Amino acid sequence: MGNCCSGDVGGGQQAVGGGGMGGTASGLAGGSKNTDANEAIDHLLKSRGLGGLHSQIELSLSASNLRDRDVLSKSDPMAVVYAKRRDGQLEEIGRTEVVLNSLNPVWIAKITVNYQFEVVQPLVFQVYDIDSQFHNVPEKMLKVEEQQFLGEASCLLSEVLTKNTRSLSLNLVRREYGGIQPRKLSELTVRAEECVGSKTIIEMVFRCSDLENKDLFSKSDPFLLISRAAESGAPIPICKTEVRKNDLNPTWKPVILNMQQIGSKENPLTIECFNFNSSGKHDLIGKVVKSLAELEKLHLELRGENFFVPTVVGHDHHNKILKGQIFVEKFFESKRQTFLDYIAGGCELNFMVAIDFTASNGNPRLPDSLHYIDPSGRPNAYQRAILEVGEVLQFYDSDKHFPAWGFGARPIDGPVSHCFNLNGSTGHPEVEGIQGIMSAYMSALHNVSLAGPTLFGPVINTAALIASQSLVNNQQKYFVLLIITDGVITDLQETKDAVVKASDLPLSILIVGVGGADFKEMEVLDADKGERLESSTGRVATRDIVQFVPMRDVHSSEISVVQSLLAELPGQFMSYMRTRNIQPLC
């Protein structure tokens, strides 16, 4: 999986502010409670975009029936791959070699792409015939505007990865008369393979001895931060341990690193030991710089490495060697099944939606209502959440038939319902595609009366029933329920009971809060603080399956609602599969 973890420590949404941290981890803060320290350290990784699934993918390209632009021989094609940014600009991420005299090239060069589950990643492929006068010029130096354009194709990275064959054939089209004409010239085939490094896992247990005491009235509260060097030389945090309270000889829970994060066992890693402070100004106790190969050697030789701290004497920089040492108690390398292995094996993510139709949303006919449909076409908050989440998840659901419900409204000539089919059907809640959800939502606004209260229990239980039925039928499916709401839950305990029961099922629940309500009680359902939900009977949730995000927060920051909501989903998926020892189908 993408990033490392340490034991069962959860992410922290509450860490804010904070000061510097040895030049490597600025912006951390925390509270005085025991869990706050671990939350604050977790926040560092999340704030730098290291919270979701990131995996390296190698793309292989081939083409057939290319247009022949040469007079005396066949074309000499080269393919260029671009990532299409949100603003529409193309950013080159790689190019193949030039294949001489071929209309059906199979390029050898692989294009490496960083796959992010929670982000829509459009790719654009352009194929050029390289003029013979440039055949001795390295591919990277070629100016594509000086070459003959043979065609262009585009797709989303997820479209390729969700195919059982990990292969997708695309029609190449050619610019004509100032635009791109839908004239079929040839086919481009894109094949995707997850890099071996994405599957290679290193598990380590670190222990320290004789750490320096940084606190006046107690012992230090140490944690480790592991970073790798970027091309610029700046350290990039990739992993951390939990905070050990009042301990100068700590042993931490295992940390797990993905080889892809590091590159190779020879690349140097910086391991810094800090004393946690609730102010966010964490004291550097010491550091070591070691590669994975060197850490493995420390483990095999049962010896420690002394920490050092950088010091300046006059104009000279020195490393002061400390008494404190770090030991590698465990070093274990293995290959694990990944999220994409399950997807390639045919496991699907089935998308489901539940929409809040309570009266607190306001009259849908008035512009100040959260359900107001703008004649200009600008989507309201509910529509934005459906579109942004659905845009990511739709390709992981092969038939694209999505159950869609509403709650908290009174259908025509009926009592208030807390789980009704959005399409008006009495028996079938499924609609076709994301646009089907949008159409059913707008139709429901004309066919129901907004009421209340806000109850989540019925829709969660309905989604859980569908998930449990898939187990009975031995289907390898995982269900994702998106709940969009504007208010405080009225049935909090009943909702807790439903979530605890659903935690045993292949189900995750994404909750988007829209509008200006106080959603503090909603955050109770999201177990990011490490406290698992407990039902009214005392039963504890077997895993965290809820992710809650207030839309106003994510839209006021650089992180999109989709990234915030979906970042934990692959981890929840893998937690379910591993704890039940479910293997990919192929």
Side-chain angles (χ1 to χ4, degrees), residues 4 6 55 89 116 135 173 205 209 215 252 309 325 329 348 358 379 397 410 418 426 455 479 512 516 530 560 576:
C4 79
S6 173
S55 184
Q89 295 296 311
Q116 294 176 262
H135 283 181
V173 293
V205 172
S209 66
D215 292 339
W252 288 277
V309 290
Q325 287 189 312
E329 294 287 280
E348 296 192 356
T358 55
D397 191 331
R410 180 179 289 105
H418 300 291
T426 56
L455 307 183
F479 296 83
V512 177
S560 76
Y576 177 82

Side-chain angles (χ1 to χ4, degrees), residues 67 69 149-153 171-177 179-185:
R67 187 180 182 190
R69 300 299 300 267
F149 180 76
L150 296 179
E152 178 177 282
N171 289 338
L172 280 168
V173 293
R174 183 165 57 91
R175 299 188 190 95
E176 290 181 328
Y177 310 112
I180 295 181
Q181 303 299 316
R183 172 188 168 192
K184 181 178 178 181
L185 297 177

Side-chain angles (χ1 to χ4, degrees), residues 296-489:
E296 184 177 23
K297 188 176 181 181
L298 287 180
H299 169 67
L300 294 173
E301 296 178 356
L302 301 176
R303 63 182 178 86
E305 179 76 12
N306 289 85
F307 283 109
F308 68 85
V309 290
T311 59
V312 178
V313 180
H315 296 289
D316 297 328
H317 294 264
H318 297 277
N319 291 330
K320 179 184 176 181
I321 306 301
L322 304 176
K323 181 181 178 182
Q325 287 189 312
I326 187 169
F327 297 83
V328 184
E329 294 287 280
K330 178 180 179 180
F331 188 101
F332 181 69
E333 181 176 342
S334 63
K335 286 186 172 56
R336 289 191 179 184
Q337 301 288 357
T338 67
F339 172 77
L340 288 175
D341 287 331
Y342 287 89
I343 298 302
C347 187
E348 296 192 356
L349 302 183
N350 291 150
F351 183 37
M352 304 184 284
V353 177
I355 297 174
D356 184 339
F357 283 88
T358 55
S360 54
N361 283 279
N363 187 339
R365 296 177 180 82
L366 301 179
D368 61 351
S369 170
L370 291 169
H371 281 308
Y372 180 68
I373 304 298
D374 195 325
S376 70
R378 180 182 178 184
N380 63 33
Y382 284 91
Q383 291 172 311
R384 284 205 313 270
I386 294 168
L387 288 170
E388 291 186 27
V389 176
E391 190 179 33
V392 172
L393 293 179
Q394 61 179 327
F395 294 104
Y396 298 87
D397 191 331
S398 62
D399 67 7
K400 295 181 175 54
H401 287 171
F402 307 132
W405 302 287
F407 60 92
R410 180 179 289 105
I412 297 175
D413 299 328
V416 174
S417 173
H418 300 291
C419 185
F420 58 88
N421 295 337
L422 209 59
N423 59 9
S425 167
T426 56
H428 301 286
E430 294 89 359
V431 297
E432 189 169 343
I434 303 303
Q435 287 306 315
I437 300 175
M438 300 291 280
S439 297
Y441 163 63
M442 289 188 285
S443 176
L445 287 174
H446 294 98
N447 294 313
V448 301
S449 299
L450 275 57
T454 304
L455 307 183
F456 279 11
V459 292
I460 293 176
N461 286 328
T462 302
L465 179 61
I466 293 175
S468 63
Q469 287 172 343
S470 75
L471 292 180
V472 173
N473 297 327
N474 292 319
Q475 296 172 316
Q476 197 167 98
K477 292 184 176 183
Y478 194 88
F479 296 83
V480 183
L481 171 63
L482 171 65
I483 300 176
I484 316 170
T485 183
D486 84 311
V488 178
I489 307 174

Side-chain angles (χ1 to χ4, degrees), residues 22-99:
T24 24
S26 61
L28 288 179
S32 58
K33 294 182 180 179
N34 289 342
T35 57
D36 286 346
N38 293 328
E39 285 180 40
I41 306 309
D42 264 342
H43 181 71
L44 168 70
L45 301 182
K46 286 193 171 187
S47 68
R48 305 216 175 169
L50 297 172
L53 168 62
H54 299 258
S55 184
Q56 281 194 327
I57 305 297
E58 284 187 342
L59 300 181
S60 302
L61 305 178
S62 62
S64 60
N65 194 34
L66 290 180
R67 187 180 182 190
D68 192 355
R69 300 299 300 267
D70 294 345
V71 177
L72 301 178
S73 64
K74 297 177 182 177
S75 294
D76 306 316
M78 177 186 77
V80 184
V81 183
Y82 300 90
K84 189 174 184 179
R85 300 196 310 235
R86 279 191 170 272
D87 61 3
Q89 295 296 311
L90 298 183
E91 179 181 344
E92 183 176 330
I93 55 177
R95 55 179 66 183
T96 67
E97 77 278 13
V98 178
V99 176

Side-chain angles (χ1 to χ4, degrees), residues 92-121:
E92 183 176 330
I93 55 177
R95 55 179 66 183
T96 67
E97 77 278 13
V98 178
V99 176
L100 299 179
N101 199 31
S102 177
L103 300 182
N104 301 286
V106 178
W107 290 284
I108 297 174
K110 304 292 189 292
I111 310 298
T112 302
V113 181
N114 288 320
Y115 163 69
Q116 294 176 262
F117 168 78
E118 68 271 23
V119 178
V120 177
Q121 295 178 271

